[in-house]
Amino acid sequence: MNSEHIVYIPRRAKIIITVLAVFIFLLSVSVVLFSLLTGVDAGLVTTALTLAQTCAAGLSVIALIFYTKFSVGVAFLKERTASYLVQEIPEALRIVDCDEDDFRELDASYSAKPVSSRTRILIKYDDGNHYCQYRVLAYGLDQRLYVQVNVRRMVVSYFLAIGSMDDEEIHRRLEYVVKAAETAGYTYKYEQVHDSADRSVTVQLRLFRSLPDEFLMNAGERLYIANDLASMTRALIRALPEKVVEIPPPPADAIKVA
């Protein structure tokens, strides 16, 4: 069984199981004491005592599994970081531009169909890194995106295809995006990135977010934040002016799959 399935039993379930075990333990001890004081059949005392001992052992196991933090090792965390950046985030980003027009009657024969995604995602990742670069091609834009996941901290950078827009126009278009990001727990700032080689200046929207302590081990938290990132990316792209994008060809050394 995967360790995250043990550690991340829902909090409510942990409380219910713990309270139930404590109640049965106290009830068993009460029955033993009552039986000894009233001289009830010894068999009942033995049964209640056995049940109390079992509950005591169970409470020890519950305390170990439910309320103890486990160290999973640096290698595991690096592997989980790479998996999150290369697999889980791109999977979530598929919904940025997808077919939304196929409405069908909700009846007994209805069944969900696979996502018909028009999004193309190009990725640049070096093994062992805690950051990854993406190009999300959707709605006529080639949106460059940088994501850094450093165990308990996440940084998202959007390089904005702004054309001739001034700062005021950028802020106006992205007001909804940054307000929603703040509600979701991000802080943000706009920065100008100077490229001395191209002699150009790019506006960058950077967002910062603290992550839960066990984020990399908690599948629910990872899915929540990846989906949030995809929704934020979609909203940002839709807020910017559309333009025709030429999809770049694969590099000459790309691995061809038969």
Side-chain angles (χ1 to χ4, degrees):
M1 183 182 291
N2 193 310
S3 62
E4 68 183 78
H5 294 155
I6 297 175
V7 176
Y8 291 100
I9 296 173
R11 182 171 179 271
R12 181 176 297 180
K14 289 181 180 180
I15 293 173
I16 291 173
I17 293 171
T18 304
V19 169
L20 185 61
V22 170
F23 173 77
I24 295 174
F25 172 74
L26 294 177
L27 180 63
S28 303
V29 171
S30 300
V31 170
V32 171
L33 294 176
F34 177 78
S35 301
L36 291 174
L37 292 174
T38 58
V40 178
D41 181 31
L44 179 60
V45 176
T46 303
T47 302
L49 187 58
T50 302
L51 182 58
Q53 291 173 334
T54 303
C55 287
L59 285 171
S60 301
V61 174
I62 288 171
L64 176 65
I65 295 178
F66 288 1
Y67 304 105
T68 301
K69 291 187 177 181
F70 297 92
S71 177
V72 294
V74 171
F76 174 86
L77 294 176
K78 286 186 174 181
E79 180 183 345
R80 183 54 60 81
T81 300
S83 174
Y84 187 64
L85 292 171
V86 175
Q87 298 175 16
E88 296 180 38
I89 286 180
E91 173 66 19
L93 288 173
R94 291 193 312 138
I95 63 96
V96 169
D97 185 2
C98 59
D99 184 5
E100 300 174 340
D101 298 326
D102 187 15
F103 281 86
R104 290 174 289 159
E105 189 72 29
L106 180 59
D107 53 25
S109 64
Y110 179 86
S111 60
K113 66 170 188 174
V115 172
S116 178
S117 177
R118 292 189 292 261
T119 312
R120 286 201 57 189
I121 302 167
L122 309 180
I123 185 171
K124 182 181 184 301
Y125 176 74
D126 297 320
D127 188 33
N129 257 322
H130 60 285
Y131 64 85
C132 186
Q133 299 178 60
Y134 310 88
R135 292 173 65 181
V136 181
L137 290 85
Y139 294 107
L141 280 181
D142 180 355
Q143 179 60 57
R144 293 169 57 205
L145 172 63
Y146 167 105
V147 178
Q148 173 186 311
V149 175
N150 188 10
V151 185
R152 294 194 300 271
R153 187 168 184 260
M154 184 173 183
V155 181
V156 180
S157 298
Y158 292 102
F159 296 85
L160 305 177
I162 59 173
S164 60
M165 288 192 296
D166 57 23
D167 288 352
E168 184 177 345
E169 175 68 5
I170 294 170
H171 294 183
R172 185 188 66 79
R173 283 179 175 268
L174 298 184
E175 182 179 7
Y176 169 78
V177 177
V178 297
K179 293 301 181 184
E182 284 185 313
T183 301
Y186 290 91
T187 59
Y188 73 93
K189 65 179 178 178
Y190 290 98
E191 292 182 343
Q192 290 188 341
V193 180
H194 296 262
D195 189 332
S196 56
D198 292 341
R199 295 183 179 180
S200 62
V201 179
T202 302
V203 175
Q204 181 182 180
L205 172 61
R206 301 192 71 195
L207 301 109
F208 309 86
R209 177 179 187 149
S210 296
L211 300 172
D213 287 347
E214 291 85 11
F215 169 77
L216 290 172
M217 295 180 289
N218 188 330
E221 288 288 349
R222 295 197 310 272
L223 178 61
Y224 168 71
I225 291 180
N227 286 344
D228 229 25
L229 174 65
S231 298
M232 185 164 61
T233 303
R234 174 188 171 94
L236 180 138
I237 290 176
R238 295 303 301 270
L240 296 175
E242 295 184 11
K243 63 179 182 179
V244 177
V245 172
E246 293 184 7
I247 299 177
D253 60 348
I255 298 175
K256 294 184 179 179
V257 179

